[in-house]
């Protein structure tokens, strides 16, 4: 079995560099199963963050790695990334991993080859979730892997809302718990339903309160404005309120331009990360945008007034299905992007001219 993680960018200068590399981890074990692949892959994030002078952020093929100047001067090399993963994966997963080797590719040709294989694997993992809904399970799963840098943050992973890094869906968290019952992915009994539209359950609230060091009293699975989920720093996308449009914008990590909020992704990420609840702003995994539970408390996909063109186009097929269900098959063309509007005023003008539903919906606050 091969685990692949991509697009790390350490240039050794204490800032983001331009080196793209693939870390390919081959693992073998008599009890190994393909369900364990995402669980072990996500450990790359967790384990590299143990090292002094390395900050690993992100998931799957969207990873930022920062290496401090001190670590570089102390002799940190790519080779040490491999040594850390080799030692810790063997140590922490000795019940399933018998042998392991780590290869780091930096030649473009090899990077592209492995990237293609990884994209296939990600698609297969996501497809396994089809048909599972939040209403048909009694148990959600927590993920506390990012508490190493956001101590009060917990993701609640449900069938219809994957972890905000996009790397863990409900089945992955379940497999992780089976592998390591005392590990970072604990079952959460939903308990009594508190509010269907917000996605609040008594069991989830109790669990969050205890495991967030009593910092978060309540958490909605489906709301941006009322008790939203906290954000660590690994989110694939950020949702941000656009008050004058009575809607929200979504920006993905790959988009480096200015957003209509007047902030780039990196500035927004600095504001909302760290494990605090910030009503009106929230980190999410891409897959959640196409979920039927997406911001159901605020009216769902109909609230989205702006997103980068690339995000809209790559998600077009799944979002189009949701738009049809909303009874508005042309809805995606009513969402502005950077080629249409760069300011909140311009977004408002565009959505007003294109009969976007958001302005006529209940006020967001
Ligand atoms: S972002 Fe959430 S699901 Fe992903 S590793 Fe961190 S805590 Fe886990």
């Amino acid at each position: 079995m091969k685990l692949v993680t991509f697009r790390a960018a350490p240039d050794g200068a204490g800032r983001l560099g331009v080196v793209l590399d693939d870390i390919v981890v081959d693992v073998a074990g008599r009890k190994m199963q393909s369900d364990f692949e995402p669980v072990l892959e996500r450990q790359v994030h967790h384990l590299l963050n143990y090292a002094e002078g390395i900050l690993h952020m992100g998931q799957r093929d969207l990873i930022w790695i920062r290496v401090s100047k001190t670590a570089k001067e102390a002799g940190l090399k790519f080779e040490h990334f491999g040594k850390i993963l080799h030692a810790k994966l063997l140590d922490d997963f000795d019940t399933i991993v018998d042998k392991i080797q780590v290869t780091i590719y930096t030649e473009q040709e090899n990077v592209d080859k492995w990237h293609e294989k990884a994209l296939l694997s990600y698609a297969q993992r996501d497809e396994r979730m089809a048909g599972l809904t939040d209403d048909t399970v009694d148990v959600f799963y927590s993920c506390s892997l990012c508490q190493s840098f956001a101590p009060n943050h917990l993701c609640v992973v449900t069938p219809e809302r994957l972890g905000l890094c996009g790397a863990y869906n409900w089945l992955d968290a379940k497999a992780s718990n089976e592998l390591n019952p005392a590990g970072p992915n604990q079952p959460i009994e939903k308990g009594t339903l508190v509010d269907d539209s917000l996605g609040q359950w008594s069991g989830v609230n109790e669990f969050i309160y205890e495991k967030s060091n009593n910092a978060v009293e309540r958490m909605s699975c489906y709301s941006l404005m009322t008790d939203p989920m906290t954000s660590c720093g690994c989110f694939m996308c950020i949702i941000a309120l656009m008050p004058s449009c009575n809607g929200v914008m979504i920006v993905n990590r790959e988009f480096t331009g200015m957003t209509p909020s007047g902030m780039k992704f990196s500035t927004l990420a600095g504001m909302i990360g760290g494990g605090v609840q910030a009503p009106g702003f929230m980190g999410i995994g891409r897959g959640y945008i196409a979920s039927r539970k997406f911001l159901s408390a605020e009216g769902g996909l109909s609230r989205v007034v702006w997103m980068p063109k690339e995000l809209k186009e790559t998600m077009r097929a799944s979002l189009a299905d949701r738009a049809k269900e909303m009874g508005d098959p042309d809805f995606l063309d009513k969402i502005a992007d950077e080629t249409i509007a760069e300011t909140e005023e311009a977004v408002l003008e565009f959505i007003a001219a294109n009969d976007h539903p958001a302005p006529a919906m209940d006020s967001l606050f």
Side-chain angles (χ1 to χ4, degrees):
M1 180 182 297
K2 293 183 190 293
L3 316 172
V4 192
T5 182
F6 290 98
R7 306 284 150 151
D11 69 349
R15 61 181 168 75
L16 286 180
V18 292
V19 180
L20 297 185
D21 69 271
D22 292 352
I23 301 173
V24 178
V25 183
D26 294 277
V27 291
R30 275 162 297 138
K31 295 187 184 159
M32 186 59 62
Q33 298 173 26
S34 56
D35 283 357
F36 298 156
E37 182 180 282
V39 180
L40 293 177
E41 181 187 293
R42 194 60 186 140
Q43 300 304 314
V44 174
H45 168 67
H46 181 53
L47 299 178
L48 289 181
N49 276 328
Y50 275 137
E52 201 171 325
I54 298 179
L55 176 71
H56 182 289
M57 191 75 82
Q59 69 295 315
R60 289 191 171 181
D61 60 344
L62 195 56
I63 287 166
W64 294 352
I65 296 181
R66 289 170 192 251
V67 176
S68 75
K69 285 180 182 169
T70 319
K72 188 194 171 214
E73 279 154 18
L76 184 77
K77 302 217 179 305
F78 267 145
E79 172 192 345
H80 298 112
F81 286 62
K83 285 190 167 157
I84 292 166
L85 296 176
H86 182 270
K88 288 297 293 172
L89 284 172
L90 268 180
D91 202 30
D92 292 358
F93 293 90
D94 58 345
T95 51
I96 53 163
V97 178
D98 296 331
K99 285 184 181 172
I100 183 164
Q101 79 175 15
V102 181
T103 313
I104 300 180
Y105 292 98
T106 55
E107 303 88 5
Q108 191 64 50
E109 194 184 330
N110 284 324
V111 170
D112 291 344
K113 187 180 85 180
W114 281 102
H115 190 204
E116 232 170 80
K117 288 179 197 250
L119 290 178
L120 258 181
S121 177
Y122 302 153
Q124 282 163 358
R125 288 181 207 166
D126 294 343
E127 271 163 27
R128 288 186 306 144
M129 286 302 300
L132 268 175
T133 66
D134 290 6
D135 300 332
T136 55
V137 300
D138 295 326
V139 168
F140 295 155
Y141 287 90
S142 66
C143 187
S144 60
L145 266 181
C146 289
Q147 288 197 340
S148 56
F149 59 90
N152 297 334
H153 171 74
L154 278 170
C155 276
V156 173
V157 183
T158 82
E160 294 183 88
R161 183 171 180 179
L162 77 176
L164 56 82
C165 60
Y168 261 16
N169 62 34
W170 185 85
L171 284 173
D172 301 332
K174 183 169 182 281
S176 168
N177 178 257
E178 281 160 14
L179 257 181
N180 182 5
N185 301 106
Q186 293 297 309
I188 309 174
E189 296 285 343
K190 285 158 64 178
T192 317
L193 183 65
V194 176
D195 189 306
D196 191 21
S197 145
L198 291 175
Q200 276 200 24
W201 288 264
S202 61
V204 176
N205 283 341
E206 282 157 25
F207 187 96
I208 286 283
Y209 184 60
E210 186 192 334
K211 303 294 181 187
S212 68
N213 305 308
N214 301 352
V216 180
E217 282 185 28
R218 290 179 300 277
M219 196 218 77
S220 307
C221 289
Y222 318 136
S223 178
L224 175 72
M225 303 304 291
T226 308
D227 309 321
M229 195 185 291
T230 56
S231 305
C232 50
C234 291
F235 32 78
M236 300 179 91
C237 303
I238 295 170
I239 311 176
L241 185 65
M242 296 199 65
S244 67
C245 299
N246 201 29
V248 301
M249 54 157 256
I250 304 174
V251 58
N252 51 316
R253 190 176 286 268
E254 300 95 323
F255 184 74
T256 54
M258 186 57 76
T259 74
S261 70
M263 288 177 274
K264 292 184 175 181
F265 180 94
S266 51
T267 310
L268 282 164
M271 274 175 47
I272 70 165
V276 290
Q277 281 182 315
F281 298 88
M282 187 165 66
I284 56 163
R286 267 186 190 230
Y288 180 52
I289 306 171
S291 164
R292 291 187 178 89
K293 300 290 189 186
F294 174 74
L295 301 192
S296 64
E298 282 85 26
L301 192 62
S302 303
R303 285 289 182 183
V304 180
V305 295
W306 186 93
M307 60 166 67
K309 196 174 177 62
E310 181 271 338
L311 182 61
K312 194 168 31 169
E313 293 312 319
T314 51
M315 296 198 65
R316 184 168 277 277
S318 49
L319 294 181
D321 288 345
R322 292 290 88 76
K324 274 186 216 147
E325 287 171 11
M326 283 157 48
D328 191 353
D330 299 326
F331 175 71
L332 287 191
D333 298 324
K334 299 176 184 176
I335 301 176
D337 59 45
E338 74 279 15
T339 65
I340 294 167
E342 290 183 332
T343 63
E344 189 161 342
E345 295 73 35
V347 175
L348 181 57
E349 207 175 299
F350 176 80
I351 62 169
N354 284 277
D355 199 23
H356 192 293
M361 293 168 82
D362 290 344
S363 176
L364 273 172
F365 52 91

